[in-house]
Amino acid sequence: MGVSFSQSQTPTPDLQTSYPIFLYIFPPSDPKKKPKVHFLKLTLYTFTINFHQSNLSFSIPNLTMYKSPTVFHCFITIIIIINSFVLLSRGVSATKHEDIGIYELNNGHFSVKLTNWGATIVSVFLPDKNGKVEDVVLGYDNIDTYKNDSTYFGAIVGRVANRIGGAKFTLNGTSYKLHANEKGNILHGGTPGFSDVVWKVKKYEKDCESPCITFTYHSFDGEQGFPGDLKVMVTYSLVGNYKLRVKMEAKSLNKATPVNLAQHTYWNLGGHNSGDVLSQKIKIFGSHITPTDDELIPTGKIVSVKGTPYDFLKPYTIKSKIGELPDGYDINYVLDGEKGKKMKVVAVVWDDKSGRSMKLTTDAPGVQFYTGNYVKDVKGKGGCVYEAHAGLCLETQGFPDAVNHRNFPSQIVNPGEIYKHNMLFSFSIKDRKDLGSI
């Protein structure tokens, strides 16, 4: 016999507590016998209850029926005493509740709005060549919609971004089964991943030359099946006139674990409500890709883009080759340039109509180029309805499913080590310019 409880509560970040559970087992006396002193058996169970965001649950495994020598049939009366459980279920926690809010960074040239729900970029406002300011990222008007989002608009995804085939891997002789959320695989860290939790605001500086905000999150051991406690930190900062820096770090506290964080903003340089991005030009500084199977799991091969629809070594409009693919682009590019943690150019995107361009650099080894293929009838900001290809993602990252391919760069972070991942978005507003020279 098992006993289990589950209750929804107000999101409470970073709370993992052990509580003693006392089970008093009272076998009743045989009704055919005279009353006498009853046999009493006391069993003490202690285990961990994880209060993680919106789910509160625990279970008591393998309770068995007890029989008294003088009783033909017996049932168990269980009294569960959990100090603080009632308080926690009513939203009172052992840690301070972290409010969910919107935070703006503005340096007088452009502005970025963010929320600590998923450490998400909510909007980026940029002028066009005529001085008209528009929001160039897809998103929603309110936080509640982000909580029900399935597109990962603007969020930090992890603990391991992209896909892990079969939702499993082996590390240091131990096999780990993860919480699958897509066709038996795990995508973007599972459900909920880092995109669907409340992050703490560690630092917020807005009245300075380089405004910035830092979000932190404590991912607990066993979250979505991943091993070890992990402290995660993401800092967004405005540097220079039109530059947005994203700095991601994670520290493993007690176990080796894979880490692969990614920033999942959907960009449309023509404006979030301007239609699709197919006429925008892109140049990708990656001469190889990691091809995938039908479930978008890498095969383990690394192949050249030459002669394929994935060749953007020279600038082309996105629509020029997208028709050669079933749905659109959703592939990891192996970035050119020096290996290691030096910053290198990832891609340049340019919108002819608005004159806006975006150059991305990173120290990650790969980038997922995704053209919003599965966006359909999504009601976004200002009532705008987003459809397929309404935005594009450039998710710098480690290679997908690297934990299952030894020839891919390792994503394992050992206890005490620090994972680092940096991105720099540089925007330009020009009348006309050849994309290749940007």
Side-chain angles (χ1 to χ4, degrees):
M1 179 177 73
V3 181
S4 65
F5 294 80
S6 181
Q7 180 168 342
S8 177
Q9 71 169 31
T10 303
T12 304
D14 302 338
L15 179 58
Q16 180 184 12
T17 312
S18 295
Y19 286 87
I21 309 301
F22 298 91
L23 303 183
Y24 295 91
I25 315 296
F26 295 96
S29 62
D30 186 341
K32 296 181 180 180
K33 301 290 185 180
K34 291 181 180 180
K36 62 180 180 179
V37 178
H38 297 310
F39 173 80
L40 173 63
K41 185 166 185 176
L42 172 63
T43 305
L44 173 63
Y45 288 78
T46 303
F47 53 92
T48 296
I49 308 172
N50 290 325
F51 297 92
H52 174 59
Q53 302 303 320
S54 58
N55 294 316
L56 171 63
S57 63
F58 63 87
S59 62
I60 304 170
N62 301 325
L63 294 185
T64 57
M65 300 296 288
Y66 289 86
K67 288 185 178 181
S68 167
T70 61
V71 178
F72 290 104
H73 299 287
C74 172
F75 71 87
I76 300 176
T77 301
I78 303 176
I79 301 174
I80 302 178
I81 302 173
I82 311 176
N83 293 333
S84 303
F85 174 75
V86 174
L87 290 176
L88 284 162
S89 68
R90 293 176 181 173
V92 180
S93 70
T95 61
K96 180 182 177 182
H97 173 67
E98 191 76 18
D99 291 331
I100 302 172
I102 299 291
Y103 305 87
E104 182 175 13
L105 306 178
N106 190 327
N107 65 0
H109 298 278
F110 77 116
S111 70
V112 178
K113 290 185 178 180
L114 308 106
T115 175
N116 56 323
W117 178 265
T120 297
I121 293 177
V122 173
S123 61
V124 176
F125 289 95
L126 287 169
D128 68 2
K129 62 186 179 182
N130 299 314
K132 183 180 179 181
V133 177
E134 293 175 297
D135 188 355
V136 296
V137 302
L138 276 56
Y140 304 109
D141 287 325
N142 59 73
I143 298 300
D144 286 340
T145 315
Y146 279 96
K147 292 181 180 179
N148 298 311
D149 170 59
S150 60
T151 62
Y152 306 94
F153 279 165
I156 294 293
V157 294
R159 176 179 303 197
V160 175
N162 217 302
R163 294 169 176 85
I164 296 178
K168 61 184 179 180
F169 66 94
T170 299
L171 177 60
N172 296 334
T174 300
S175 296
Y176 294 95
K177 182 61 179 176
L178 310 174
H179 299 179
N181 63 341
E182 187 195 59
K183 301 177 182 178
N185 306 308
I186 186 170
L187 172 65
H188 293 328
T191 306
F194 291 1
S195 58
D196 287 318
V197 296
V198 182
W199 294 57
K200 291 184 178 180
V201 180
K202 182 179 181 181
K203 180 176 69 172
Y204 180 35
E205 297 180 354
K206 58 180 181 177
D207 298 321
C208 57
E209 185 177 349
S210 298
C212 65
I213 189 167
T214 297
F215 300 117
T216 63
Y217 177 67
H218 184 146
S219 178
F220 62 84
D221 182 13
E223 184 174 1
Q224 303 307 319
F226 290 101
D229 290 278
L230 189 73
K231 291 182 67 175
V232 189
M233 181 170 68
V234 178
T235 298
Y236 295 96
S237 57
L238 304 188
V239 292
N241 290 352
Y242 292 105
K243 294 182 179 180
L244 169 63
R245 176 181 293 156
V246 185
K247 181 180 179 181
M248 294 169 264
E249 293 186 355
K251 184 177 181 180
S252 174
L253 300 184
N254 42 37
K255 293 181 182 178
T257 185
V259 181
N260 183 27
L261 306 179
Q263 215 297 323
H264 208 292
T265 291
Y266 288 66
W267 300 93
N268 186 331
L269 296 182
H272 80 95
N273 57 354
S274 64
D276 63 55
V277 296
L278 298 179
S279 295
Q280 295 178 20
K281 293 179 181 178
I282 189 168
K283 179 178 181 179
I284 300 176
F285 292 76
S287 54
H288 293 80
I289 57 170
T290 54
T292 63
D293 61 18
D294 292 339
E295 294 183 351
L296 298 178
I297 305 300
T299 62
K301 296 180 180 179
I302 297 176
V303 301
S304 173
V305 299
K306 291 184 178 180
T308 76
Y310 300 104
D311 186 353
F312 286 98
L313 292 170
K314 294 181 179 180
Y316 296 99
T317 59
I318 295 171
K319 66 182 178 182
S320 65
K321 302 182 181 185
I322 199 170
E324 300 178 48
L325 303 171
D327 300 304
Y329 292 96
D330 194 2
I331 196 72
N332 174 64
Y333 282 79
V334 179
L335 294 174
D336 298 334
E338 286 189 56
K339 293 184 179 180
K341 299 304 291 182
K342 290 187 177 182
M343 298 291 284
K344 50 188 169 286
V345 180
V346 175
V348 180
V349 184
W350 186 60
D351 178 59
D352 183 29
K353 187 175 181 180
S354 69
R356 299 186 185 100
S357 67
M358 179 179 76
K359 178 181 179 181
L360 173 60
T361 57
T362 189
D363 55 4
V367 62
Q368 189 82 9
F369 176 42
Y370 175 53
T371 49
N373 311 326
Y374 309 113
V375 175
K376 183 179 180 181
D377 299 331
V378 177
K379 188 175 181 180
K381 302 171 189 173
C384 179
V385 178
Y386 303 133
E387 302 291 353
H389 316 312
L392 64 87
C393 301
L394 291 167
E395 309 158 55
T396 58
Q397 60 181 3
F399 297 175
D401 200 30
V403 288
N404 293 313
H405 299 284
R406 293 184 178 180
N407 59 316
F408 287 180
S410 175
Q411 297 170 1
I412 303 304
V413 180
N414 292 303
E417 294 180 347
I418 297 178
Y419 162 96
K420 294 183 179 181
H421 177 186
N422 294 283
M423 306 173 75
L424 181 64
F425 296 94
S426 301
F427 304 98
S428 297
I429 297 91
K430 301 179 188 261
D431 206 3
R432 289 191 66 86
K433 186 173 182 178
D434 178 67
L435 183 65
S437 63
I438 294 177

